[in-house]
């Protein structure tokens, strides 16, 4: 099937969708004409097709096929004619809504021939198309992947018109300086924001990642933006935003700040970032919210209300990076974790550094929910819908396969890992070189202040007959060269490819962590049963667990430094930033325990966000 020819779900008239769904899901007909030949079979048909008798299903099937045939016998010609007959402005908006470029330039030229200046074409029908895209996205009718295709069509239209514009012409609704804060390598979310703002008429100056406050201040003085957008992935970055906001305030900057990121919340924005800035700070949970806020800020009719609503009074500045555990732990080992288990042997204690040769194998460990759902925006059970040949799922799958095909030529997945002899003492985990007395490194983990009093060190068994237990450490990355390639695709207007590639790399890193963890279990002597499904792996139905610094059981990100000392991941091209994040972004680090009692738990609040 040529997926480019597929019609967008949102643009299929609802009665046609209903006709198709009636057939696909074998819905009992709502009304059966009195003289219908199979009428008797169509009465009292159960709603669930699984409960329908074979003859009933066949009758329902025939009924809906007849209805569809009847509808399209006349509608096909009419629909085709309708698209071409649309007034030119609506047709132009439609290219954007549909995310298609077929015929776009010809129609842009028609509009110019009418004497409409290029700028008015952008601000008129094209922008109306983008506004409709935003509306459809907010109404859950379009997914991120489709919004990116619409942005691609917009970019193509604007690029074509630019040659006819005067230098002084500007279609801009406002200017935004955008940056990921100091110490943070988060790129993908910020880039999505850039694409959405840019193709909705904003001038965006993207300063990139790891941007210190002084560079933001310089950029402000140079570009005079209407707002500054700050992005960050981790809690640490949310805290860095507080510091950045305070520095911007000290530099006399007053324009509204827009902030976003996975670990950020409206509450943290209001109670920590806004007071330290003293002016408006708006939390944008996603790129479309960022766009809405910018539109409201640039509209004189709404600006004041938005500014007022997002400005904190008083000076609430105060950052804590320390753990706030509610109670002092009463135990030095959780009673929930057994100690009377044999210590499994490990195959080798050598450090392993590998370029993982089989990309496709690692990609098969990618969780579709994350890649197609969280990153590309598909709503619902992607795998199930793909199996049912749902057109949206099929189109997204095929488009990602294209991205994979290209990525297969350059993506490099690398891993470094090692088993270490380990001893626990209370909340401390000592790691040793083979047989050594002196620990190479000691991690100190927080313990739960209540409930099961769990602490990660509990998962290490006490030494038996002089033999120590083991813990595996690893860092994996799929990020080599991804930022540059993503940036190039973005600048060339291939937004789907740019975002898809970054998403693929990020989830390939996570997939590699899953893949390596499986290998580590094998080396420990408990391979997964051959029938284990990926779904079971994604819900960790195996022995032991892996924990990453920054996660709720070991939230202290500074511990990444210990991991760096032991594993030297620089050798696979991963650097630790001053914010203890891994550069490149598509990287994952973890500690792996084999204990069968392992569970995911939280030690409490790692600094409120
Ligand atoms: Co990880 N991660 N991760 N992660 N990850 C979180 C953030 C975490 C909350 C998970 C958890 O604990 N349950 C946790 C942070 C907790 C903390 O800070 N203490 C966490 C951790 C700890 C980590 C690592 C440190 C773990 C480790 O390996 N030790 C590690 C760090 C990576 C590094 O250093 N390079 C890591 C790694 C990763 C992956 C690379 C595997 C992967 C990709 C990360 C990414 O997206 N860049 C990943 C993922 C996928 C997540 C979760 C599951 C999802 C993040 C996401 O949605 N990304 C996340 C948990 C969660 O949120 N439930 C988690 C998609 C992206 C498009 O959205 O970046 O939010 P986002 O951008 C949005 C909005 O925020 C907004 O618009 C964007 C587009 O819609 N926005 C703005 C952003 N900036 C804006 C600016 C604006 C306006 C809007 O200005 C105008």
């Amino acid at each position: 099937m040529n997926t480019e020819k597929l019609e967008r779900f949102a643009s299929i008239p609802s009665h046609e969708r209903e006709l198709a769904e009636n057939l696909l899901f074998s819905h009992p007909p709502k009304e059966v004409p009195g003289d219908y030949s199979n009428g008797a079979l169509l009465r009292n048909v159960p709603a669930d097709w699984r409960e329908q008798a074979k003859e009933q299903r066949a009758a329902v099937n025939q009924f809906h096929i007849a209805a569809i045939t009847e509808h399209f016998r006349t509608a096909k010609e009419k629909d085709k004619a309708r698209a071409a007959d649309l007034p030119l402005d609506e047709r132009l908006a439609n290219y954007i809504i549909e995310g298609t470029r077929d015929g776009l330039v010809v129609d842009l030229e028609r509009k110019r021939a009418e004497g409409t200046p290029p700028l008015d074409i952008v601000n008129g029908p094209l922008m109306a198309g983008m506004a409709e895209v935003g509306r459809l996205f907010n109404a859950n009718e379009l997914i991120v992947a489709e919004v990116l295709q619409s942005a691609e069509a917009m970019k193509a239209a604007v690029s074509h018109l630019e040659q006819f514009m005067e230098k002084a012409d500007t279609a801009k609704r406002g200017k935004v300086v955008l940056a990921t804060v100091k110490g943070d390598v988060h790129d993908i979310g910020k880039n999505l924001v850039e694409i959405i703002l840019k193709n909705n008429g904003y001038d965006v100056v993207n300063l990139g990642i790891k941007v210190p406050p002084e560079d933001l201040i310089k950029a402000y003085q140079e570009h005079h933006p209407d707002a500054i957008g700050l992005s960050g992935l981790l809690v640490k970055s949310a805290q860095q935003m507080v510091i950045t906001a305070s520095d911007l305030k000290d530099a006399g900057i007053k324009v509204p700040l827009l902030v976003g990121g996975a670990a950020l919340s409206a509450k943290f924005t209001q109670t920590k970032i806004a007071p330290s800035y003293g002016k408006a700070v708006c939390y944008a949970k996603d790129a479309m919210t960022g766009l809405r806020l910018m539109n409201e800020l640039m509209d004189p009719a709404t600006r004041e209300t938005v500014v007022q609503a997002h400005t904190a009074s008083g000076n609430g500045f105060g950052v804590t990076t320390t753990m706030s555990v509610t109670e002092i732990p009463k135990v030095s080992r959780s009673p929930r974790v057994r100690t009377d288990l044999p210590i499994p042997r490990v195959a080798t204690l050598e450090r392993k550094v590998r370029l993982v040769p089989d990309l496709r194998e690692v990609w098969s460990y990618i969780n579709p929910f994350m890649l197609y759902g969280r990153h590309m925006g598909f709503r619902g059970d992607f795998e199930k819908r793909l199996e049912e040949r749902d057109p949206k799922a099929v189109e997204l799958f095929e488009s990602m396969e294209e991205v994979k095909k290209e990525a297969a030529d350059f993506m490099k997945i690398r891993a470094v890992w090692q088993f270490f002899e380990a001893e626990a003492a209370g909340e401390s985990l000592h790691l040793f070189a083979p047989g050594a007395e002196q620990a190479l490194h000691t991690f100190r983990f927080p313990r739960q202040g209540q409930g099961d009093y769990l602490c990660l060190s509990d998962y290490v068994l006490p030494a038996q007959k002089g033999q120590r237990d083991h813990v595996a450490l690893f860092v994996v990355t799929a990020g080599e060269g991804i930022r540059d390639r993503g940036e190039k695709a973005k600048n060339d207007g291939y937004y789907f490819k740019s975002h898809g590639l970054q998403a693929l790399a990020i989830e390939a890193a996570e997939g590699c962590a899953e893949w390596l963890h499986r290998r580590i279990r094998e080396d420990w002597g408990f391979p997964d049963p051959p029938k284990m499904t990926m779904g079971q792996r994604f819900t960790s139905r195996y022995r032991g667990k892996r924990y990453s610094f920054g996660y709720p059981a070991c939230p202290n990100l500074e511990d990444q430094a210990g991991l760096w000392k032991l594993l030297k991941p620089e050798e696979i091209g991963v650097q630790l930033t001053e914010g203890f994040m891994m550069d490149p972004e598509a990287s994952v680090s973890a500690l792996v325990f084999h204990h069968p009692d392992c569970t995911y738990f939280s030690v409490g609040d790692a600094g409120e966000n």
Side-chain angles (χ1 to χ4, degrees):
M1 155 181 341
N2 182 351
T3 57
E4 273 185 21
K5 303 276 178 219
L6 279 178
E7 196 165 342
R8 279 191 172 190
F9 193 70
S11 61
I12 301 173
S14 59
H15 63 282
E16 288 184 3
R17 280 193 224 169
E18 198 182 325
L19 281 171
E21 282 169 3
N22 284 342
L23 178 63
L24 285 173
F25 305 119
S26 197
H27 288 156
K30 283 191 190 127
E31 267 176 62
V32 182
D35 57 347
Y36 190 77
S37 56
N38 258 346
L41 272 173
L42 294 173
R43 259 162 234 126
N44 304 321
V45 175
D48 187 335
W49 64 271
R50 281 163 293 209
E51 288 162 20
Q52 295 167 2
K54 204 171 156 201
E55 302 74 40
Q56 281 178 320
R57 269 211 304 272
V60 171
N61 207 18
Q62 271 174 11
F63 180 89
H64 292 313
I65 288 176
I68 288 173
T69 316
E70 182 54 29
H71 173 77
F72 283 102
R73 188 173 287 134
T74 48
K76 201 170 180 184
E77 292 287 315
K78 198 177 71 200
D79 278 355
K80 275 227 165 93
R82 200 187 53 196
D85 282 354
L86 280 177
L88 185 51
D89 276 9
E90 278 179 46
R91 229 157 55 219
L92 285 169
N94 236 22
Y95 289 111
I96 308 300
I97 299 165
E98 295 285 319
T100 170
R101 285 177 260 189
D102 253 3
L104 170 67
V105 170
V106 175
D107 273 346
L108 286 172
E109 284 306 294
R110 281 201 184 107
K111 189 71 189 163
R112 277 198 336 108
E114 284 180 1
T116 315
L119 194 58
D120 292 357
I121 305 177
V122 175
N123 282 335
L126 297 178
M127 219 46 112
M130 279 312 273
E132 178 62 5
V133 168
R135 193 194 65 75
L136 288 170
F137 178 82
N138 290 330
N140 284 349
E141 298 224 13
L142 289 184
I143 62 171
V144 175
E146 290 168 321
V147 172
L148 289 170
Q149 284 160 346
S150 291
E152 284 184 7
M154 184 72 179
K155 161 102 179 172
V158 174
S159 300
H160 174 74
L161 292 172
E162 259 164 7
Q163 58 186 311
F164 310 111
M165 288 188 196
E166 295 293 326
K167 271 249 151 54
D169 270 358
T170 168
K172 303 304 172 201
R173 291 162 120 177
K175 193 188 270 186
V176 183
V177 161
L178 195 61
T180 298
V181 293
K182 183 175 169 181
D184 193 314
V185 299
H186 176 55
D187 217 17
I188 183 168
K190 167 183 66 62
N191 288 345
L192 213 46
V193 174
E194 179 191 353
I195 292 169
I196 299 298
L197 287 180
K198 245 189 185 153
N199 290 284
N200 278 280
Y202 288 93
D203 192 0
V204 181
V205 183
N206 184 343
L207 299 182
I209 58 170
K210 299 190 279 187
V211 180
E214 50 279 20
D215 288 6
L216 270 161
I217 294 166
K218 237 184 271 162
Y220 173 83
Q221 286 155 353
E222 186 184 336
H223 300 285
H224 310 291
D226 299 293
I228 296 176
L230 299 179
S231 201
L233 182 70
L234 305 182
V235 169
K236 241 186 173 346
S237 312
Q239 290 155 353
Q240 178 58 45
M241 283 181 193
V242 180
I243 296 162
T244 304
S246 162
D247 287 357
L248 295 180
K249 177 189 178 189
D250 291 348
I253 296 173
K254 296 188 171 79
V255 293
L257 292 187
L258 272 76
V259 293
L264 203 59
S265 66
K267 186 176 161 216
F268 186 88
T269 305
Q270 278 162 11
T271 57
K272 299 282 162 62
I273 308 176
S276 88
Y277 188 49
K279 298 282 171 222
V281 185
C282 312
Y283 168 65
K285 73 170 168 42
D286 56 29
M288 281 295 179
T289 311
L291 172 64
R292 179 182 52 77
L293 286 163
M294 272 315 294
N295 290 345
E296 289 171 0
L297 285 167
M298 297 313 293
D299 182 346
T302 45
R303 182 182 173 90
E304 224 16 67
T305 319
V306 180
V307 166
Q308 288 298 322
H310 293 89
T311 307
S313 53
N315 184 0
F317 183 79
V319 192
T320 166
T321 51
T322 51
M323 293 283 313
S324 51
V325 176
T326 38
E327 273 179 44
I328 308 287
K330 299 180 183 73
V331 296
S332 60
R333 191 174 184 104
S334 168
R336 284 273 173 191
V337 184
R338 288 168 288 170
T339 51
D340 55 346
L341 299 168
I343 292 177
R345 288 182 166 279
V346 293
T348 171
L349 291 170
E350 264 173 43
R351 173 173 166 267
K352 306 267 187 193
V353 183
R354 292 281 186 278
L355 169 67
V356 184
D358 191 345
L359 269 185
R360 293 265 164 198
E361 193 190 349
V362 173
W363 286 348
S364 74
Y365 281 73
I366 291 179
N367 187 341
F369 167 77
M370 290 301 291
L371 181 60
Y372 299 100
R374 187 178 278 274
H375 292 291
M376 305 315 291
F378 190 86
R379 298 187 183 97
D381 185 337
F382 181 79
E383 282 181 293
K384 189 161 163 263
R385 301 280 290 279
L386 187 63
E387 226 169 74
E388 296 165 355
R389 309 304 290 167
D390 169 83
K392 233 181 207 197
V394 171
E395 183 183 3
L396 181 56
F397 178 79
E398 297 290 347
S399 307
M400 279 310 292
E401 284 302 298
E402 285 297 311
V403 173
K404 281 184 179 171
K405 216 157 98 191
E406 268 196 48
D409 289 338
F410 57 79
M411 186 176 277
K412 299 268 180 294
I413 302 188
R414 297 180 197 277
V416 53
W417 75 100
Q418 190 170 0
F419 285 96
F420 288 91
E421 288 186 2
E423 273 180 21
E427 288 75 43
S428 297
L429 171 68
H430 305 294
L431 298 182
F432 301 86
E437 291 277 301
Q438 207 60 22
L440 284 168
H441 185 75
T442 298
F443 290 108
R444 288 192 179 81
F445 298 114
R447 182 175 294 285
Q448 284 183 314
Q450 52 203 354
D452 292 335
Y453 297 102
L454 289 167
C455 174
L456 282 187
S457 53
D458 297 349
Y459 295 137
V460 171
L461 294 168
Q464 294 165 13
K465 296 184 196 141
Q467 193 207 332
R468 288 178 176 134
D469 198 2
H470 300 96
V471 167
L473 266 53
F474 72 71
V475 173
V476 296
T477 186
E480 189 177 306
I482 297 298
R483 191 173 300 133
D484 291 347
R485 287 185 188 263
E487 189 68 16
K488 180 164 185 327
K490 175 160 63 79
N491 293 339
D492 292 346
Y494 295 111
Y495 299 135
F496 183 95
K497 187 161 98 178
S498 172
H499 183 69
L501 177 60
Q502 291 173 81
L504 178 65
I506 274 165
E507 291 310 319
E510 194 63 49
C512 184
E514 194 68 66
W515 172 88
L516 182 57
H517 189 182
R518 193 220 69 220
R519 225 193 117 144
I520 286 170
R521 288 194 295 278
E522 280 170 17
D523 284 354
W524 243 318
F526 31 86
D528 294 346
K531 285 202 174 135
M532 181 176 270
T533 62
M534 283 298 173
Q536 287 169 324
R537 281 197 188 93
F538 297 145
T539 44
S540 52
R541 310 263 179 84
Y542 38 62
R543 177 171 165 175
K545 296 260 179 297
R546 63 174 190 276
Y547 301 85
S548 293
F549 290 123
Y551 281 2
C554 45
N556 186 16
L557 210 57
E558 278 86 345
D559 277 331
Q560 293 266 69
L563 216 146
W564 246 247
K565 186 175 88 182
L566 294 166
L567 281 185
K568 303 188 178 51
E570 292 86 352
E571 201 179 325
I572 58 163
V574 187
Q575 316 294 330
L576 203 58
T577 72
E578 56 203 314
F580 301 95
M581 280 187 81
M582 294 167 281
D583 192 359
E585 178 174 24
S587 306
V588 170
S589 65
L591 292 104
V592 188
F593 296 84
H594 68 75
H595 203 295
D597 294 341
C598 277
T599 180
Y600 287 121
F601 62 92
S602 170
V603 292
D605 195 355
E608 198 191 2
N609 64 329

